[in-house]
Amino acid sequence: QVQLVESGGGLVQAGGSLRLSCAASGRGFSSTTMGWFRQAPGKEREFVAGISWSGSGTLYADSVKGRFTISRDNAKNTVYLQMNSLKPEDTAVYYCAAKFRLAIKGEYDYWGQGTQVTVSS
């Protein structure tokens, strides 16, 4: 079992930056594939970024490539999402997710409660 707690959300102006953190507890964090997802009002949840257990592999949605960076610190059981050049369309609840499988794509098994990111124009 893995428990996930996100933090770092908030209100920011367009063009600004935020860094989200996801703290994990439970066994095996260093063996997990981690992902960030988001859900805007009235829309389906969508994949934002993912990172392999070692951090050597990453994957991004086209909409955030070049602006967002996912990273992890296995010693701190934490995964991060650095978000730069934020746009109003990035406004959503952001969720951290984990799984004990290698593929970054696909279903995730453990989810955090989410953190709100609001980007004003």
Side-chain angles (χ1 to χ4, degrees):
Q1 283 281 358
V2 176
Q3 294 80 42
L4 304 171
V5 179
E6 302 96 335
S7 61
L11 174 65
V12 64
Q13 289 188 334
S17 297
L18 281 175
R19 188 176 81 155
L20 305 183
S21 298
C22 173
S25 59
R27 291 189 173 185
F29 174 78
S30 60
S31 301
T32 59
T33 298
M34 300 295 298
W36 285 98
F37 292 75
R38 67 187 181 186
Q39 188 168 19
K43 295 187 177 181
E44 292 188 355
R45 186 171 60 195
E46 64 174 354
F47 173 82
V48 174
I51 188 166
S52 63
W53 66 271
S54 67
S56 61
T58 57
L59 185 66
Y60 296 92
D62 288 344
S63 59
V64 307
K65 273 181 189 175
R67 300 189 298 123
F68 290 10
T69 303
I70 188 171
S71 61
R72 67 189 296 161
D73 185 338
N74 286 344
K76 295 183 178 179
N77 282 13
T78 302
V79 64
Y80 305 97
L81 186 67
Q82 178 67 43
M83 306 186 294
N84 299 328
S85 302
L86 282 161
K87 304 175 181 179
E89 51 263 44
D90 294 318
T91 295
V93 177
Y94 283 70
Y95 297 91
C96 174
K99 58 180 171 179
F100 290 101
R101 283 169 279 135
L102 294 178
I104 294 176
K105 292 183 179 181
E107 295 296 317
Y108 282 69
D109 302 312
Y110 304 97
W111 294 86
Q113 83 289 351
T115 186
Q116 177 71 46
V117 172
T118 303
V119 184
S120 63
S121 57

